[in-house]
Amino acid sequence: MMSNTTPSFPERIELSGEGLVLRDWTEADLAAMPELFDHPDIAYWTPIVSPFDDAAALARLSRDRQLRAEGTTILLAITVDGGAPLGEVMLRRAPEGTEIGYAVGPAHRGQGLAARAVRVMAAYAFEQLGVEQVILELEAENGASVAVATKAGFQLLDVPLITGEEKGRPFSLQTWGLTRS
């Protein structure tokens, strides 16, 4: 249970900017989710379950709503117009800071969607949640994510690596930060 000092998130969120609309996931998106998330590199670099099928989509939508209600995490679909989801951006209140994460469907990469979505989510964190800094936790070997961090204006922070294991694979995460201007 989160303490009462943690403000809850709004039940509905829609953020616009950078040519994107970040919106809540809905039941109508369930069919599109496996196409976005059932991919070897998403399985490798993220905690998203693999294989990602219809049951995984339903479980993710339900978990998304539970985490939102608990006030810990927001998961939003990345769209250009409020329509078809092209990926996901996350904001999570973690012990180490307000963390942003993202995953873009393989068919939609190379359009700057992740960097733009991260900047829109960071602006939301600064303006609506009043945080001073947002962080990204990335593996140095994940070149695409490091490029997103750099493009979105984040700097590598001088903090210890976060190590652990996910899906039987050890990982070591760098922390990148963007400070409120």
Side-chain angles (χ1 to χ4, degrees), residues 53-135:
D53 55 14
D54 293 342
L58 198 56
R60 190 160 179 84
L61 183 63
S62 140
R63 180 101 177 108
D64 161 32
R65 290 173 175 169
Q66 180 194 341
L67 294 170
R68 168 88 56 97
E70 289 170 4
T72 56
T73 305
I74 303 169
L75 297 171
L76 297 178
I78 301 172
T79 77
V80 289
D81 54 7
L86 310 176
E88 175 174 86
V89 63
M90 169 200 83
L91 183 138
R92 182 171 75 99
R93 291 176 168 140
E96 57 273 21
T98 301
E99 182 194 355
I100 295 178
Y102 43 85
V104 171
H108 310 294
R109 294 184 186 162
Q111 305 170 50
L113 294 171
R116 289 188 283 152
V118 165
R119 285 194 297 260
V120 171
M121 193 64 111
Y124 173 77
F126 296 146
E127 294 156 20
Q128 302 298 316
L129 306 178
V131 304
E132 291 303 316
Q133 182 183 57
V134 289
I135 58 171

Side-chain angles (χ1 to χ4, degrees), residues 34-52 104-106 109 139 142 167 169:
E35 191 185 320
L36 297 175
F37 299 133
D38 191 39
H39 192 264
D41 64 358
I42 288 180
Y44 187 84
W45 294 117
T46 76
I48 293 173
V49 299
S50 173
F52 194 99
V104 171
R109 294 184 186 162
E139 291 184 72
N142 188 344
K167 302 178 192 164
R169 180 177 83 80

Side-chain angles (χ1 to χ4, degrees), residues 18 89 99-104 112-120 122 126 134-157 173-179:
E18 305 254 352
V89 63
E99 182 194 355
I100 295 178
Y102 43 85
V104 171
L113 294 171
R116 289 188 283 152
V118 165
R119 285 194 297 260
V120 171
F126 296 146
V134 289
I135 58 171
L136 302 173
E137 295 176 351
L138 314 174
E139 291 184 72
E141 302 77 27
N142 188 344
S145 265
V146 170
V148 168
T150 310
K151 204 164 157 185
F154 284 68
Q155 307 276 319
L156 184 57
L157 301 180
L173 302 174
Q174 299 175 329
T175 303
W176 292 69
L178 180 66
T179 306

